[in-house]
Amino acid sequence: MLVTFNVAGQQTEKLYLSGRGSDDTKQWEFFCTGGMNANKWTTIPVPSCWELQAFGKYDYGFAKDSLRGKEKGFYKYSFAAPAAWKNKKVKIVFEGVMTDAAVKINGQPAGEIHQGAFYAFKYDITQLLKYGAQNLLEVTVDKHSTNPSVNEAERKADFWIFGGIFRPVYLEVSPQTSIENIAINAKADGSFKANLTIAGSADKIITQLYTAKGARFGNAVTTQGTRMVTSKFISPKLWTAESPDLYKAVFSIYKNGLLLHTAEQKFGFRTVEVKQRDGIYVNGVKVKMKGVNRHSFRPGTGRTTSKRISIEDVLLMKDMNMNAVRMAHYPPDDHFLEVCDSLGLFVMDELAGWHGNYDTKTGSKLLKEMIDHDVNHPSIIIWANGNEGGHNLELDKYFTEFDIQQRPVVHPWQLYGGIETQHYREYNYGIGNYENGREIVMPTEFLHGQFDGGHGAGLEDYWEKMWHNPLSAGGFLWDFSDQAVVRKDLHDSLDTDKHRGADGIVGPHLEKEGSYFAIKEIWSPVHFERKEITTQFDGRLNIENRFHFTNINQCTFSYRFKKLTSALLPEKTGTMVAPGIKPGEKGTLKINLPANWKDYDVLYVTVKDKPGKEILTKSFAIVRPGYLESILVSGEGRPAPLLTESDSLFKVKANDIEMSFHTRTGLLTLVKNTRGIIPFNNGPVLQEGVNNFAGFTARQSGDNIIISSTYDKQHFNTLEWTIYPTGIFKMKVRYFPAAYFTSLAGVNFSYPEQKMKSFTYLGDGPYRVWKNRMKGTQFGLWTKQYNNTETGEAPWVYPEFKGYHANLYWSVFNAEDHSFRVTTPNENIFLRLFTPAWKTDQWHNYEPIFPGGDISFMQGISSIGSKTQRNETTGPMGAKNIFYDYEKDPSRALELVLYFDFND
């Protein structure tokens, strides 16, 4: 976008007739022909989508044509044109109007009707203005275009469809001879080329470059008698997503020695190249896209956004260690690209089209508007000609014709230009198969994140395959945020159009799902090799540099040793020397261990990039759950438990705790303490097993009571209860899963969900996990309040309460009138809390498997699929659990030990 400033009175003034975004609007007169608040003159904020201002009709792109809102909007706005403008040139600029716009100034057409929602357009209105007086601007907006190809490209798609003047409107007032457009090609070798579009006659151009800090860079370049500037600059700082160094070019045009006009343009030195059957290179370095698709969207304003929103979105992407974003499925606001330029994201900018495309006449016009508007953003490294079959092949040549930088072009969902972008390929059929292919692989959509499926689930398998495949150029997740729109016609409720808009890594108000943190860890450019901390730990951690351009010594590292269950031992913190590790190489990070490091429970290591953004905090458990066992069984000085048998029950009382076990099945049937009955019972029930427990006996063993099954054959499941004088009792189960491949393994108990208020646990958290989404948690002490969140649905309360929680040491379950603790000495135990509700769609791929009962302690949990893939096709982690065949090796029974403490 051309930017101009004042120099000796020769200036381009920008006067906003609207506000500058969703947080800065102006009221215009407005009349809507249909839907909400129709057929009356009132006012509306501009810019805005009129549905979000309670006008017209809400439409999702899949709606039948007969049900689509096809209302019109009539806008009026009066503005002054000072007499001083009389010898100037005045243009009116619209950054975006949905969808057809007919513009009049003082009753006269400003030009032909503009068709196409997401493209900036302008009219020269110099001859239509009344100078020194008020002028009337009138805009007629058709939400549904009269051009069928525009509707096919923009209005029949998998997203919300809005209407209105949704981006800013302003006037450009310039001298009659002026710079109207600038297109720059600045390469990594320092070569510089700029094409200027100049209105009027000029005979000299002087060009001066400046750094981001305002210092002159290189010598001024003087160009005589041409509108093309070429030069070579020595050793410029190069723009990348990791080091987004920007420059400013200032162009001054002269005639007969007189300065006529000056304009400036930000840009970056960088080169993009596709090497066939090799990869995508930026500044000579092969890059892989850690990307996401992003709609311009907020629940209360629709497609109308602001620079603040752009900054919020980019910062979240950068926080997830992403380096790329795809504009889905239309060009974004200019400020979003500016933020990508300044903060550093590779951008794929896209001409609209989803299973439909613009006709060639319309498409070529809109394509030129897109490129003229966006050409100078160094963040844009790839153009996309439509999406998923919305490709007009006749437009491909115009990308080359209009773009001075000759950036590569892709056809999302197709193989084009040597880049295979096929969407939603299964891991085995797609990613694995690509290793046998010949082309560069870069899916522009993969791991569709509907509700809680996809995104982080499966990503580790996909990414490891992508990272190690030389022909992979990474890919783009679908998509950034849940598209939940405020329904003014439904009491301001949030609507995702059922499953269709619930695809985000973050919620509509940027609420972070568990996948957010999984992505952050999986895509960390500082990759930690798995490390088990033992007593022989020497402070060394193996790491890999997965940056493309940055040495690890540009990062900072710190550590923190923490005691989780006691404040008596102060934290021990310190910093580490960042090792010099080049991109793609491996090395060692060394911690100078404190003398008492073994007294702590956990080690946290934090790495930050050069600007100070946290890349990742990695946790390493020091303590093991087995240490708890010796604490639980001590009960000196207490009387031995009392055992009675009646009504097919073994009844035991110990330390004011009463408990009953069924004499035939061994199941816990009753727990009672001094406050009353605790409704935790009917367990352990094997989720999958060869047979139920049976044939129980009870006996005294020292100060303890032991209730155990009588089977002595190795290939039968066994259960043993040990009740201690403390009232704590131990469950020990040895069991065999029902099959070699099984989704679930563990035991279940019953507990009324309505009783549960919160739980506190020591383990990995605070987010729940799936078998194919184990990353993104930290070992710690966590407390979670009960919620009934359905991921991707209102009220978007995270972290979710229900589901699987990893690496359990102990958990305290809290109700209004009681609490109880469950502890395990086992490692790698999952706690399952209740069964989350699941929205369904026509595929049913993402619906995970949960065990019976209410609270479970699992040694094998299920994975989760996505909208387009079954869980087992997301990669090895999505497959079922594998357990040994008891018939072939009966010693391979799983063993699960739990301690129950009902002392309030």
Side-chain angles (χ1 to χ4, degrees), residues 805-817:
H805 300 79
N807 197 21
L808 178 70
Y809 282 44
W810 55 258
S811 180
V812 176
F813 304 95
N814 300 304
E816 287 183 350
D817 57 353

Side-chain angles (χ1 to χ4, degrees), residues 21 74 107 248 310 359 380 399 611 614 620 634 722 780 822 835 876:
F74 299 100
K248 179 177 67 177
S310 292
D359 61 50
I380 299 173
F399 285 93
E614 180 185 309
F620 301 88
S634 62
T722 303
V822 181
T835 301

Side-chain angles (χ1 to χ4, degrees), residues 673-718:
N673 64 12
T674 55
R675 292 192 180 188
I677 294 175
I678 298 174
F680 180 82
N681 52 45
N682 193 34
V685 174
L686 286 176
Q687 175 58 32
E688 295 188 14
V690 176
N691 63 276
N692 295 322
F693 310 116
F696 282 83
T697 62
R699 60 188 172 87
Q700 191 85 31
S701 176
D703 289 338
N704 306 325
I705 298 292
I706 296 179
I707 300 170
S708 60
S709 56
T710 57
Y711 284 115
D712 58 2
K713 293 182 180 179
Q714 284 186 309
H715 61 275
F716 284 107
N717 302 319
T718 61

Side-chain angles (χ1 to χ4, degrees), residues 609-626:
D609 63 12
K610 187 175 181 180
K613 178 190 78 69
E614 180 185 309
I615 294 173
L616 180 68
T617 293
K618 185 78 173 176
S619 66
F620 301 88
I622 299 172
V623 68
R624 295 290 181 265

